[in-house]
């Protein structure tokens, strides 16, 4: 029995977990609850099991170019906005 793991799947899962973690930080420690929820929902697009469920239930296939553009936007937003960048964590930022 041979099982192969696709590189794209690993990168997508890791990025989804990164965005999910930023969302959880904003929900529980930050003062921007709605932004955190939006990040958590956006992170679901990058998780392969959720992507498979979306494809199965709705027949909608999320194109990889859309995922790349969304990843660039989310990276920019998480680095520029939110509790960590605005200094709500003095123990992290120094």
């Amino acid at each position: 029995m041979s099982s192969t793991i696709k590189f794209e799947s690993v990168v997508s899962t890791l990025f989804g977990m990164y965005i999910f973690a930023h969302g959880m930080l904003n929900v529980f420690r930050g003062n921007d609850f709605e932004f955190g929820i939006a990040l958590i929902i956006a992170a679901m697009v990058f998780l392969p099991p959720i992507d498979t469920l979306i494809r199965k239930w709705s027949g909608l296939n999320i194109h990889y170019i859309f995922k790349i553009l969304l990843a660039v936007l989310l990276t920019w937003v998480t680095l520029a906005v939110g509790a960590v960048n605005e200094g709500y964590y003095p123990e992290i930022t120094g």
Side-chain angles (χ1 to χ4, degrees):
M1 180 188 298
S2 169
S3 89
T4 60
I5 298 175
K6 292 184 178 181
F7 177 73
E8 298 87 10
S9 206
V10 172
V11 170
S12 182
T13 301
L14 289 174
F15 186 76
M17 291 183 345
Y18 166 75
I19 297 299
F20 185 81
H22 270 278
M24 295 300 281
L25 276 172
N26 278 302
V27 166
F28 292 115
R29 290 279 314 260
N31 63 350
D32 202 353
F33 181 79
E34 294 84 10
F35 180 63
I37 295 295
L39 285 178
I40 291 170
I41 292 170
M44 297 300 157
V45 171
F46 295 99
L47 301 176
I50 303 298
D51 188 35
T52 304
L53 281 176
I54 291 171
R55 191 176 305 128
K56 179 182 171 186
W57 286 345
S58 68
L60 179 66
N61 188 11
I62 301 171
H63 202 269
Y64 73 94
I65 292 177
F66 174 74
K67 285 185 180 181
I68 291 171
L69 291 173
L70 184 62
V72 168
L73 177 69
L74 288 174
T75 302
W76 178 43
V77 166
T78 56
L79 292 176
V81 182
V84 174
N85 186 46
E86 293 177 7
Y88 294 118
Y89 303 130
E91 67 273 8
I92 295 174
T93 59

